[in-house]
């Protein structure tokens, strides 16, 4: 290796050492253990970096690397200082307890003597904009809902010390956050979708133009599985609880302002001159259309249960029904009175003390969920007490209502989850038929309705007409064999339009050769063709809407197949051309390698001798040596420019320049 190359390699290694640190080097720099380092990285949002193979890792390929700049920021961070203070406090507390110093123990256990930290500054660093915090509400609410359901294992109000199980103080905060979040969604009426699964309840809400999806577990006795490092999850829970407290404070404040402005507009006391400049005017058309679609989606849901009062039986999860009904504009009462319109029950018969009323619908808990996803008040048939429920379809995989905004939301979801199957169950077709009586299950996207039916019938693609039996001519064996032969892909012809089949093309060619194309048609053949055309016209006129749509879609599918075939043929031609080009280069290299191997073998066997930059045959060298010896034996000087006694110099050099 050249000394300059060695110097450059050493410089790269030194630069890498300064730019990246291993996990062990980072823990030593921060003077903490691996658990504390992991906790600090979770709170500050620092993750290990994946280095490419081109970059040399100074400490090995099996280690985790962190950016040295981020680790150096943590050295003087307020969280790191508070955690170090807590380590010193633990030593003082153990010493005071061992020496039985009551006053010092009382001081250390007080709020003034015990160190603590706050995550406000950390959250501001991680989420400089409120929109960034909203995009993390999905994971935050899912985690908080899980731990709010579980029971605490440790009685502790502090979070600065390590807990390998759920502390009681953090559990109470999580329950309060879940309650406040559900109350906000209910008051803002921003819930759009809901689904009951084996894993729990899935919800989606539109908050400040962002779709927030979270999951809530079923309420049943459970035990946390063993083998899970809970201190990692509890660290995430601590950060998410503080994040949601900030988010809810902002959302509740904005909601109060919106309600006050709405009331002022309704009362006529709103000052139009005091309004600020509209931000929407500066937005692009795409953002405006997206906002309008979200407003239409919320408008279909927020007043769905207006004027309805629900009574929930005691075996039904109360908080989920409260959330669904409240977000859709309905009321939930705790007493069964005359204002009740729907009785939600999850048992085959009424409880003791209740009687059936004619003006009350007794439905199962799935009913409000399906109503919200369908965007209409569904008929209670199939949802009544004791009846077999219809399938509960997830609104996150298929647009149940078939509205444009719901279809756009599903397409947006498929971008991030391409494995979603675009299957529309029969239950969805039934609901869409209730929403729109003109809906056809064969054409759910309305492709045929966008086409002009009259023009599409008259201006179909010019397909070669089928020939009658009387028009057929006999083909020879060679022609039949050529017509039925399957060609290879590289022999296919690239065409823009659909062509006849080979058999039909041979028939037409033979008719032209025999001069049968202009032959007058017999009367019986013409009558039969006219009857056939008339039958086709009557069939089209008498076909139903479903049959017509099926025919149109089949024709469109055939056209698309022909287009795809043409595109595939073009791609195959390009691929074959590229293959030939690459193959010629490969074969040329192979020939060159074979030639060099042959020359090496000749040198090894002594058939050729290297002379300068060329190879000379051994026979020619021996012949030249004999001539040299013969010339030198006569006492003459051997001319190296001559071979075999003949001069190899250019004889035209002695001529004048004008002749040359």
């Amino acid at each position: 290796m050249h000394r300059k190359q060695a110097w450059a390699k050493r410089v790269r290694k030194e630069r890498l050492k300064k730019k990246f640190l291993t996990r062990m080097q980072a823990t030593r720099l921060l003077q903490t253990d691996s658990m504390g380092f992991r906790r600090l990285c979770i709170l500050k949002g620092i993750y290990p970096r994946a280095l490419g193979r081109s970059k040399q890792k100074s400490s090995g390929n099996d280690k985790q690397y962190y950016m040295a700049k981020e680790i150096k920021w943590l050295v003087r961070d307020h969280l790191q200082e508070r955690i170090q203070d807590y380590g010193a406090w633990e030593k003082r507390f153990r010493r005071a307890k061992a020496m039985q110093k009551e006053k010092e123990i009382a001081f250390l256990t007080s709020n003034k003597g015990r160190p603590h930290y706050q995550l406000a500054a950390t959250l501001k660093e991680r989420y400089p904009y409120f929109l960034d915090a909203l995009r993390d509400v999905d994971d935050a609410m899912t985690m908080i809902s899980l731990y709010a359901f579980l029971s605490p294992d440790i009685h502790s109000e502090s979070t600065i010390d390590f807990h390998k199980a759920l502390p009681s103080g953090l559990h109470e905060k999580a329950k309060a956050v879940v309650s406040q979040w559900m109350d906000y969604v209910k008051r803002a009426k921003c819930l759009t979708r809901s689904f009951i699964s084996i894993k729990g309840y899935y919800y989606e809400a539109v908050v400040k133009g962002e779709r927030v999806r979270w999951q809530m577990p079923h309420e049943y006795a459970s035990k946390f599985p063993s083998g899970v490092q809970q201190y990692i999850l509890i660290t995430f829970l601590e950060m998410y609880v503080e994040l949601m407290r900030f988010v809810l404070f902002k959302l509740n404040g904005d909601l109060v302002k919106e309600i006050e402005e709405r009331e002022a507009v309704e009362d006529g006391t709103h000052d139009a001159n005091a309004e600020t400049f509209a931000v929407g005017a500066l937005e692009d058309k795409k953002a405006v259309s997206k906002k309008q679609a979200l407003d239409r989606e919320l408008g279909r849901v927020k007043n769905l249960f207006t004027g309805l009062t629900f009574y929930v039986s005691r075996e039904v999860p109360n908080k989920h029904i409260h959330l669904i009904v409240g977000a859709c504009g309905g009321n939930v009462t705790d007493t069964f009175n005359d204002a009740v319109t729907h009785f939600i029950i999850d048992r085959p018969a009424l409880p003791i003390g209740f009687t059936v009323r004619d003006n009350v619908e007794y439905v199962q808990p799935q009913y409000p969920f399906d109503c919200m996803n369908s965007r209409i008040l569904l008929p209670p048939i199939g949802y009544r007490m004791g009846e077999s429920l219809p399938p509960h379809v997830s609104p996150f995989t298929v647009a149940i209502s078939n509205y444009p905004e719901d279809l756009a939301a599903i397409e947006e979801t498929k971008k991030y989850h391409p494995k979603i199957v675009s299957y529309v169950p029969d239950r969805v077709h039934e609901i869409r038929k209730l929403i729109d009586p003109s809906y056809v299950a064969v054409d759910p996207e309305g492709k045929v309705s966008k086409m002009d039916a009259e023009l599409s019938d008259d201006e179909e693609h010019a397909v070669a007409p089928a020939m009658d039996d009387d028009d057929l001519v006999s083909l020879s064996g060679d022609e039949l064999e050529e017509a039925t032969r399957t060609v290879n892909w590289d022999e296919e012809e690239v065409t823009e339009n659909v062509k006849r089949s080979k058999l039909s093309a041979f028939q037409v060619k033979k008719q032209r050769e025999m001069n049968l194309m202009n032959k007058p048609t017999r009367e019986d053949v013409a009558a039969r063709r006219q009857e056939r055309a008339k039958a086709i016209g009557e069939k089209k006129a008498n076909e139903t809407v479903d049959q017509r749509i099926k025919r149109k879609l089949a024709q469109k599918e055939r056209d698309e197949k022909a287009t795809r075939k043409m595109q595939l043929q073009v791609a195959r031609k390009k691929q074959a051309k590229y293959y030939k080009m690459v193959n010629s280069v490969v074969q040329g290299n192979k020939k060159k390698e074979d030639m060099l191997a042959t020359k090496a073998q000749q040198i090894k066997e002594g058939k050729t001798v290297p002379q300068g930059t060329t190879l000379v045959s051994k026979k020619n060298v021996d012949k030249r040596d004999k001539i040299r010896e013969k010339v030198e034996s006569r006492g003459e000087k051997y001319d190296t420019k001559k071979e075999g006694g003949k001069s190899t110099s250019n004889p035209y050099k002695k001529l004048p320049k004008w002749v040359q």
Side-chain angles (χ1 to χ4, degrees):
M1 185 183 294
H2 195 267
R3 56 185 181 84
K4 289 187 177 180
Q5 294 178 349
W7 175 81
K9 186 176 180 181
R10 185 171 67 252
V11 168
R12 285 197 301 269
K13 282 188 176 182
E14 294 296 332
R15 187 185 302 165
L16 187 68
K17 286 182 180 179
K18 294 179 181 179
K19 191 174 182 180
F20 296 100
L21 295 175
T22 63
R23 186 171 60 87
M24 184 59 66
Q25 292 172 348
T27 53
R28 289 175 179 173
L29 180 63
L30 297 175
Q31 297 181 4
T32 182
D33 55 355
S34 60
M35 294 174 60
F37 175 71
R38 186 175 297 178
R39 178 189 185 188
L40 201 59
C41 289
I42 291 172
L43 294 176
K44 300 296 291 185
I46 296 174
Y47 300 96
R49 304 289 178 169
L51 302 185
R53 292 186 176 181
S54 59
K55 295 182 179 180
Q56 298 180 3
K57 299 182 180 180
S58 57
S59 300
N61 297 332
D62 56 342
K63 297 183 182 297
Q64 294 180 355
Y65 286 83
Y66 296 84
M67 289 197 68
K69 181 171 61 175
E70 296 177 345
I71 301 301
K72 290 176 181 178
W73 285 343
L74 296 180
V75 174
R76 297 300 179 188
D77 189 74
H78 68 283
L79 289 181
Q80 172 65 8
E81 294 178 354
R82 295 294 97 192
I83 291 174
Q84 289 180 350
D85 293 344
Y86 181 76
W89 175 88
E90 281 184 327
K91 293 180 181 179
R92 290 180 59 189
F93 180 77
R94 286 197 298 267
R95 181 174 177 275
K97 190 175 181 180
M99 299 180 66
Q100 298 182 356
K101 295 183 177 180
E102 300 295 338
K103 293 184 179 180
E104 190 172 355
I105 292 175
F107 172 74
L108 292 175
T109 54
S110 63
N111 191 22
K112 185 178 180 181
R114 185 186 180 93
H116 59 278
Y117 63 79
Q118 294 180 353
L119 297 177
T122 302
L123 292 175
K124 290 180 181 178
E125 291 175 1
R126 293 193 61 174
Y127 305 103
Y129 299 100
F130 182 66
L131 191 61
D132 300 332
L134 271 182
R135 289 169 181 166
D136 267 7
V137 173
D138 303 24
D139 297 334
M141 281 310 304
T142 301
M143 176 75 74
I144 294 172
S145 301
L146 172 63
Y147 274 96
F149 160 69
L150 297 175
S151 57
D153 297 328
I154 300 174
H155 179 72
S156 176
E157 299 293 334
S158 175
T159 57
I160 193 172
D161 47 348
F162 281 100
H163 295 298
K164 296 186 178 180
L166 180 62
S168 59
L170 197 57
H171 175 256
E172 294 297 330
K173 291 181 181 179
K175 288 175 62 178
V177 167
V178 170
S179 177
Q180 294 174 13
W181 171 256
M182 294 179 70
D183 182 63
Y184 168 77
V185 172
K186 193 164 40 175
R187 289 190 296 115
K189 295 182 180 180
C190 58
L191 195 65
T192 56
R193 289 179 179 85
S194 58
F195 179 63
I196 307 174
S197 173
I198 298 177
K199 297 181 179 179
Y201 297 85
Y202 289 85
Y203 294 106
E204 181 190 83
V206 177
V207 182
K208 301 291 185 181
E210 291 290 329
R211 295 187 183 273
V212 179
R213 300 184 183 96
W214 76 98
Q215 177 190 358
M216 299 183 69
H218 290 289
E219 296 180 354
Y220 59 89
S222 63
K223 186 178 180 181
F224 202 88
S226 58
V228 179
Q229 295 179 346
Q230 285 203 54
Y231 76 92
I232 298 178
L233 299 179
I234 289 172
T235 305
F236 276 106
L237 177 64
E238 178 187 358
M239 184 192 69
Y240 285 150
V241 165
E242 293 297 324
L243 170 65
M244 288 306 302
R245 290 176 66 184
F246 278 88
V247 170
L248 286 170
F249 179 81
K250 169 70 173 173
L251 292 177
N252 288 323
D254 293 347
L255 182 61
V256 171
K257 291 181 181 179
E258 291 177 5
I259 294 174
E260 291 178 354
E261 291 178 359
R262 196 182 308 128
E263 292 177 353
V265 170
E266 293 175 357
D267 297 340
T269 59
H270 181 64
D271 188 6
N273 297 325
E275 294 181 353
T276 56
F277 292 102
V279 182
L282 303 177
E283 297 177 351
D284 55 351
K285 294 182 179 180
K286 187 176 181 180
V288 172
S289 62
K290 181 180 178 182
K291 184 178 180 181
Q292 292 175 354
L294 292 176
D295 293 340
R296 288 196 303 269
E297 186 177 355
L298 289 173
R300 299 183 192 275
V301 179
K302 62 171 60 176
N303 298 321
L304 186 61
F305 294 149
T306 302
L308 302 180
T309 304
F310 291 78
Y311 177 79
V312 184
S313 184
R314 60 185 181 88
E315 73 274 0
V316 180
N318 201 350
K319 63 180 181 180
H320 299 286
I321 302 298
H322 272 268
L323 176 62
I324 295 291
V325 175
C328 294
N331 298 320
V332 180
T333 180
D334 296 333
T335 58
F336 188 68
N337 49 32
D338 296 336
V340 174
T341 58
H342 290 75
F343 192 114
I344 299 180
I345 184 171
D346 198 11
R347 59 176 70 185
L350 285 175
I352 299 174
F354 291 91
T355 56
V356 178
R357 296 183 182 179
D358 296 335
N359 60 341
V360 178
E361 293 289 350
Y362 297 87
V363 294
Q364 300 185 42
Q366 182 181 328
Y367 179 73
F369 288 85
D370 285 355
C371 288
M372 165 178 278
N373 299 331
S374 305
R375 309 293 191 251
I376 60 169
L377 193 64
L378 294 173
I381 302 173
Y383 295 96
R384 290 194 175 99
M385 178 177 54
E387 294 182 356
S388 297
L389 289 169
H392 185 48
V393 185
S394 171
F396 300 101
T397 57
V398 60
I400 298 178
S401 63
N402 204 35
Y403 286 126
E405 54 270 14
D406 293 337
L407 293 173
I410 297 299
E411 292 300 326
E412 184 180 357
T413 305
K414 287 181 180 179
K415 293 180 182 179
Y416 304 100
H417 305 279
K419 293 185 178 181
I420 292 179
V421 181
S422 300
Y423 169 69
V424 182
D426 296 337
R427 175 59 180 168
V428 176
H429 291 307
E430 296 175 4
I431 295 175
R432 290 178 178 179
K433 194 74 175 177
L434 291 173
I435 298 173
D436 185 10
S438 63
Y439 172 79
V440 181
V442 182
D443 185 26
E445 298 180 3
K447 294 181 180 179
V448 179
S449 60
K450 298 177 183 178
M451 300 187 301
D452 191 355
E454 299 299 330
L455 293 177
S456 60
D457 287 337
D458 299 337
E459 299 180 2
E460 290 181 345
H461 291 283
V463 183
M467 292 185 295
D468 294 336
D469 295 337
D470 298 327
D471 297 332
L472 297 178
V473 294
S474 59
L475 299 176
S476 62
D478 296 339
E479 291 174 342
L480 285 174
E481 184 180 357
E482 178 65 22
T484 56
R485 184 178 68 88
T486 304
V487 298
N488 297 328
W489 67 268
D490 53 348
E491 297 178 4
E492 292 182 359
E493 296 182 1
V494 181
T495 58
E496 295 184 2
N497 300 322
V498 183
K499 297 180 67 175
R500 292 178 180 268
S501 63
K502 276 198 170 183
L503 184 60
S504 178
F506 271 109
Q507 293 279 359
V508 173
K509 183 180 178 182
K510 197 76 174 285
Q511 286 181 354
R512 286 175 178 170
E513 290 175 355
M514 298 173 64
N515 197 18
L516 299 177
M517 299 294 291
N518 298 324
K519 183 181 67 171
T521 308
R522 299 197 310 267
E523 293 183 2
D524 56 342
V525 175
R528 189 167 60 250
R529 290 179 179 176
Q530 189 174 4
E531 290 177 359
R532 182 182 300 173
K534 187 177 179 181
I536 293 174
E538 291 178 354
K539 184 179 179 181
K540 289 183 178 180
N542 297 330
E543 65 184 1
T544 61
V545 177
D546 293 349
Q547 292 174 349
R548 174 181 168 276
I549 290 176
K550 285 183 180 179
R551 177 171 59 82
K552 293 291 183 182
L553 293 178
Q555 178 65 31
K556 188 175 182 180
E557 186 178 357
R558 287 194 296 269
D559 297 342
E560 290 177 353
K561 283 184 179 180
T563 304
R564 286 197 300 269
K565 182 179 179 181
M566 184 266 294
Q567 293 173 351
L568 180 61
Q569 288 175 343
V570 173
R572 283 174 171 174
K573 290 289 184 180
K574 291 182 179 180
Q575 187 177 5
K577 186 177 180 181
Y578 177 74
Y579 171 76
K580 289 178 181 178
M581 180 184 66
V582 175
N583 190 39
S584 62
V585 176
V586 173
Q587 294 296 333
N589 293 337
K590 188 177 180 181
K591 288 181 180 179
K592 189 179 292 185
E593 291 177 0
D594 295 342
M595 182 183 66
L596 293 176
T598 304
K599 289 183 178 181
Q601 184 68 21
Q602 290 177 356
I603 293 174
K604 186 177 180 182
E605 294 176 356
K607 294 182 180 181
T608 57
V609 178
Q611 185 173 359
T613 59
T614 60
L615 294 175
V616 184
S617 175
K618 188 70 167 58
K619 293 181 181 180
N620 295 337
V621 173
D622 296 341
K623 185 177 179 181
R624 191 182 303 143
D625 293 341
K626 289 181 182 180
I627 294 173
R628 183 189 293 112
E629 292 176 0
K630 189 176 180 180
V631 171
E632 290 178 354
S633 63
R634 295 198 300 263
E636 298 177 1
K637 187 177 180 181
Y638 178 74
D639 189 3
T640 57
K641 297 182 180 180
K642 294 182 179 181
E643 289 184 5
K646 297 181 180 180
S647 176
T648 58
S649 60
N650 188 0
Y652 296 99
K653 277 190 175 182
K654 296 180 181 180
L655 296 175
K657 290 184 178 181
W658 63 272
V659 178
Q660 297 179 15

